[in-house]
Amino acid sequence: KLIHSPVNHNHTPIISSRGCPCKCSFCSIPLFWNGTWRARTPKNVVDEMEECVIKYNIREFHFMDDNLTHSKERTRQLCLEIINRKLNVKWSASTGIRSENLDRELLLLMKKSGCIFIALSPESGSKRLLREEYNKNLDLDHIKEIIRITDRVAIRNCAYFVIGSKGETTTDRKETLRYIGNLAKNGLDEAGIFVMMSHPNTKVSR
């Protein structure tokens, strides 16, 4: 009954884009896809969804993209395509989407198109660790606001964190714990906490 997020209906994973242009120090995806991001058109993606609905009575889709929301406009067009076809489906983005392109307007559109779950990837509550070790330029306050909005519009949310990197200090870990607590106060439903895994040829493996 679980893929990366809760399952409620006949369901399938779906991939609408591949790769990620970000260069997080622990991630092998930029190496695998050579730092590129390739996306299918919203029409092409929803054609597949519609076929699944008609042929197999699938009512729930779990996007497994490496970076589903890399393009804000494409995400918006994808939602509009689902809405305009009146598919009446549910969908989730459960692999840890980037938060920079999310705002209240887009989240409301995602909700209207059937989004029931998103996972964000702050990775740490330590700005120093994010900047110096993880190569992530994140606005942690913006993520907190996204959690607050999703809670209010009834999109279930999750935040992923990584602990145990070589450069992590006790202070960094305490800041992460404090940040998770702050997210919980703002409506965080789930926290996924993972131990750092060193993939070959990534920055953290050197």
Side-chain angles (χ1 to χ4, degrees), residues 16-22 37-42 65-79 91 97-103 106 109-110:
S16 76
S17 65
R18 288 180 174 175
C20 178
C22 302
W37 180 77
R38 295 190 301 124
R40 298 162 59 189
T41 65
D65 300 38
D66 300 315
N67 196 336
L68 177 66
T69 55
H70 173 62
S71 167
K72 181 177 181 179
E73 179 57 24
R74 176 180 175 272
T75 307
R76 194 178 76 85
Q77 291 297 331
L78 182 64
C79 293
W91 63 272
I97 60 177
R98 301 280 293 198
S99 58
E100 295 91 328
N101 290 328
L102 297 177
D103 55 29
L106 183 58
L109 190 63
M110 290 165 62

Side-chain angles (χ1 to χ4, degrees), residues 120-126 134 140 143 158-163 175-177 179-181 183 188 190-196:
L120 304 173
S121 299
E123 316 297 4
S124 175
S126 165
Y134 293 169
L140 293 177
I143 292 177
C158 176
Y160 295 146
F161 295 89
V162 178
I163 60 171
E175 287 181 358
T176 296
L177 258 154
Y179 183 65
I180 294 172
L183 290 183
L188 182 68
E190 301 175 28
I193 303 174
F194 306 93
V195 176
M196 175 65 73

Side-chain angles (χ1 to χ4, degrees), residues 1 35 38 58 60 81 90 104 124 136 140 150 157 175:
K1 294 294 183 180
R38 295 190 301 124
I58 288 173
E60 190 169 307
E81 190 76 25
K90 304 298 182 184
R104 182 177 180 81
S124 175
K136 294 193 72 158
L140 293 177
T150 53
N157 61 62
E175 287 181 358

